[in-house]
Amino acid sequence: MSSLRTPDDSWDIATSVGTTAVMVAAARAGETERDEPLISDPYARVLVANAGTGVWEYLLDADFVTKVAEADSEAAAIFEHMGSYQAVRTHFFDAFFADAAAAGIRQVVILASGLDSRAYRLQWPAGTTVFEIDQPKVLDYKATTLSEHGVEPSAIRREVPIDLREDWPAALRTAGFDAAQPTAWLAEGLLMYLPADAQDLLFERLTELSAPGSRVAAETVGVHSEERRAQMRERFQQLASKFEMQQAIDVQELMYDDPDRADVAVWLGEHGWTATAVTSQAEMQRLGRWVLTEEADEDAFSTFVVGRRG
């Protein structure tokens, strides 16, 4: 169980779960600026630079990354691995949406969208509507920041400013969602911030809203041992002290380590979906982005699941 979460907590882009969206966007910005990037997110850097988290902005500074490598080569490898994971994850779900669009799906829902910029950066077919569900302050920050920089969506974008613990299906319908049309759903960087029963409820509601032909993609929850979590916490505390960084929120403490959590692929298969899954480790290795040299704990890595209905 998470020690930093409460049933009615909320956040903006610079606090609690909101800061994780900045962390992920920083990784996308870094990937975009590589010589041979897996993905392209031209808006990630500006979204991070204005977020005011006081820590993830450091990842945009190439000199800082170099200094970390000089101070702690293993920590630098972990940073690189984290960035590569985010790039591979983004690449996988970008492909999911491309496949859904090619199949004729024109209704998209991004759950807990954070600083996801797909409504702006992907080339959507004409008539595609992208619904983004998240905390009101998070959605406002993204839309306002991109608008101030002259960035316009490449699809019809509909904001659904609501907490996923509330009646989001009703809010989604109010925003114009049509349950009679097939939908492409995405739960990326979300499930780890939900307890097991909330995860089940999320997929139950999603299934009720999914017409035949709908698709869903999700990132499952990896489980780190307490020993490994403690080691990582100590290492990053040392780096923060060395470089006089504002201490970041311990992301692991925002997550729910719930032993009763359902296997997403199995759950979907039992509820009318045909599901396939690939481990993130296998996908990283396939794309030549595996960095860690130490023996990996299989349970610590997430799985990417895709389901099709009807």
Side-chain angles (χ1 to χ4, degrees):
M1 187 68 90
S2 169
S3 63
L4 295 181
R5 304 293 308 283
T6 61
D8 59 351
D9 57 346
S10 62
W11 49 85
D12 58 19
I13 202 62
T15 60
S16 187
V17 178
T19 65
T20 67
V22 183
M23 174 185 70
V24 174
R28 292 200 307 270
E31 177 66 23
T32 298
E33 293 164 12
R34 287 174 64 114
D35 290 337
E36 297 181 4
L38 283 178
I39 57 101
S40 176
D41 187 344
Y43 313 121
R45 174 172 280 272
V46 68
L47 287 169
V48 174
N50 291 277
T53 65
V55 60
W56 299 120
E57 291 90 333
Y58 279 88
L59 297 182
L60 300 181
D61 183 349
D63 290 338
F64 169 75
V65 176
T66 299
K67 290 176 182 177
V68 169
E70 293 172 350
D72 187 334
S73 60
E74 185 178 349
I78 293 171
F79 272 126
E80 183 180 353
H81 187 84
M82 290 168 57
S84 289
Y85 172 81
Q86 298 296 342
V88 168
R89 185 180 82 169
T90 301
H91 180 270
F92 184 91
F93 293 124
D94 281 0
F96 163 76
F97 279 130
D99 290 344
I105 295 177
R106 298 293 180 266
Q107 185 166 252
V108 171
V109 179
I110 302 177
L111 301 158
S113 58
L115 296 184
D116 185 307
S117 62
R118 290 185 175 95
Y120 297 84
R121 66 179 178 81
L122 296 186
Q123 296 303 306
W124 299 99
T128 300
T129 300
V130 178
F131 295 90
E132 295 190 8
I133 304 178
D134 211 322
Q135 296 270 353
K137 292 180 180 179
V138 173
L139 291 174
D140 180 68
Y141 168 78
K142 176 167 61 179
T144 299
T145 300
L146 293 180
S147 177
E148 288 173 348
H149 286 79
V151 181
E152 298 294 332
S154 54
I156 301 166
R157 178 175 176 269
R158 305 283 190 211
E159 292 188 356
V160 187
I162 190 170
D163 192 302
L164 285 168
R165 293 166 294 191
E166 299 175 16
D167 188 2
W168 62 265
L172 185 60
R173 290 178 184 274
T174 298
F177 177 84
D178 183 359
Q181 299 298 318
T183 304
W185 302 87
L186 177 61
E188 177 188 30
L190 165 61
L191 301 184
M192 62 283 294
Y193 304 114
L194 299 177
D197 56 350
Q199 174 179 303
D200 289 347
L201 180 59
L202 179 84
F203 283 109
E204 288 168 8
R205 288 173 162 177
L206 180 157
T207 297
E208 290 173 358
L209 294 170
S210 294
S214 293
R215 302 185 182 192
V216 60
E219 173 194 20
T220 68
V221 181
V223 180
H224 294 270
S225 69
E226 285 301 321
E227 180 181 4
R228 180 61 172 164
R229 289 173 63 169
Q231 291 173 348
M232 293 288 287
R233 185 182 300 113
E234 181 179 359
R235 167 162 269 121
F236 287 121
Q237 286 175 345
Q238 291 173 349
L239 285 174
S241 176
K242 181 177 181 61
F243 293 105
E244 299 182 345
M245 297 166 57
Q246 178 178 323
Q247 184 63 47
I249 290 175
D250 185 346
V251 175
Q252 294 286 342
E253 290 299 320
L254 296 172
M255 300 179 182
Y256 287 90
D257 183 12
D258 198 326
D260 298 323
R261 188 182 301 278
D263 181 298
V264 175
V266 172
W267 192 100
L268 289 173
E270 293 174 346
H271 292 80
W273 299 82
T274 299
T276 58
V278 59
T279 66
S280 57
Q281 183 177 357
E283 191 69 358
M284 291 180 75
Q285 291 169 340
R286 183 183 73 83
L287 294 170
R289 287 303 187 88
W290 186 259
V291 176
L292 298 184
T293 57
E294 63 188 45
E295 184 175 348
D297 178 0
E298 294 291 337
D299 292 336
F301 297 94
S302 64
T303 298
F304 304 145
V305 178
V306 173
R308 299 189 183 191
R309 185 159 196 197

